[in-house]
Amino acid sequence: MQPQRRIGILPDLVARPLFTRFGAPEYDVVRDVPGALAMKLRGEQLDGAFLSPIDAARGLPWCRPAGNGSLVSRPGSNTAKLLFRSGIREIRTLAADPGRTSEIVLAHIVLVEQYDTTPTIVPRTGDPAGLLSTCDAVLVAGDEASAVTDDGLDLVEEWAQMSGLPFVHGLWYAKSGDLEPALFSEPAIDRAALPEGVSYRFDTEARSGLA
């Protein structure tokens, strides 16, 4: 009997179509944010994981993108937002989950290039509303971003206006040859059932968003 394959996936509902095939007994699934999954993959606690390309580039040179499955956002997706307590240009401290690497970099790019401010990133825990009493802004991503009632600043919309491209939250990575690429392919899903502004294929346009 083959040992279980250890697969790291996101906890977010918006990404669930990418992970349905890993419900079989031969897979040992770990749910966490991309930064934490990267640490586990680096420590050889996982065989493959869904990561931010930034995390993969920082310390996983022996890993390669696996398959064409990806989480890609366009305007209307509500997958990455900034909540803030006063003017955007007055943001000096930004509370963020350190494991949301791609979204932290996105927030930094938007604030620097569009609003001429470079906040200090503060590791966050707890409720976003409570954090606004001590920080100027809070980064929310994934299901948390979809659930907030405050409009905030939609970072994916800002990115689209700046670049004309979609935003890539993450890709599949694995040791070269360890796992079959078909495991990490775009999921078969009716386009009518796709969440607004979200797709799961790492296509040419998505690749351009990482260039």
Side-chain angles (χ1 to χ4, degrees):
M1 182 177 179
Q2 289 188 341
Q4 284 184 310
R5 301 297 184 92
R6 303 162 299 173
I7 306 296
I9 69 174
L10 299 185
D12 302 313
L13 291 175
V14 69
R16 181 172 291 178
L18 288 161
F19 311 136
T20 54
R21 68 194 63 178
F22 297 111
E26 60 261 37
Y27 301 108
D28 178 15
V29 172
V30 175
R31 291 174 173 81
D32 215 329
V33 293
L37 294 176
M39 292 179 65
K40 290 180 172 68
L41 188 58
R42 192 175 296 121
E44 300 188 358
Q45 297 170 276
L46 296 172
D47 299 305
F50 194 86
L51 305 180
S52 157
I54 298 164
D55 285 318
R58 282 178 175 171
L60 293 165
W62 40 268
C63 280
R64 296 290 181 271
N68 66 350
S70 178
L71 179 58
V72 182
S73 288
R74 293 172 174 80
S77 62
N78 292 321
T79 51
K81 293 181 179 179
L82 276 188
L83 309 181
F84 51 94
R85 59 183 178 184
S86 59
I88 300 176
R89 296 181 186 276
E90 306 305 316
I91 294 174
R92 298 292 180 266
T93 53
L94 171 61
D97 180 341
R100 296 284 188 176
T101 317
S102 287
E103 291 80 8
I104 291 173
V105 172
L106 174 61
H108 176 81
I109 292 171
V110 168
L111 289 173
V112 170
E113 297 194 12
Q114 297 290 85
Y115 297 98
D116 195 29
T117 183
T118 308
T120 299
I121 306 298
V122 179
R124 60 156 289 198
T125 58
D127 178 66
L131 289 167
L132 287 175
S133 64
T134 56
C135 292
D136 298 322
V138 180
L139 172 64
V140 291
D143 292 344
E144 192 176 47
S146 301
V148 296
T149 54
D150 188 326
D151 287 339
L153 181 70
D154 191 313
L155 294 170
V156 173
E157 288 188 3
E158 293 281 329
W159 172 249
Q161 291 173 13
M162 292 170 60
S163 67
L165 295 168
F167 178 70
V168 179
H169 297 270
L171 310 168
W172 285 111
Y173 286 86
K175 291 181 182 179
S176 180
D178 271 14
L179 296 168
E180 301 81 5
L183 288 173
F184 307 109
S185 60
E186 176 189 16
I189 182 171
D190 185 347
R191 290 189 177 275
L194 285 173
E196 183 180 357
V198 173
S199 61
Y200 300 106
R201 182 180 179 83
F202 191 51
D203 57 16
T204 301
E205 189 179 33
R207 290 176 189 275
S208 298
L210 291 181

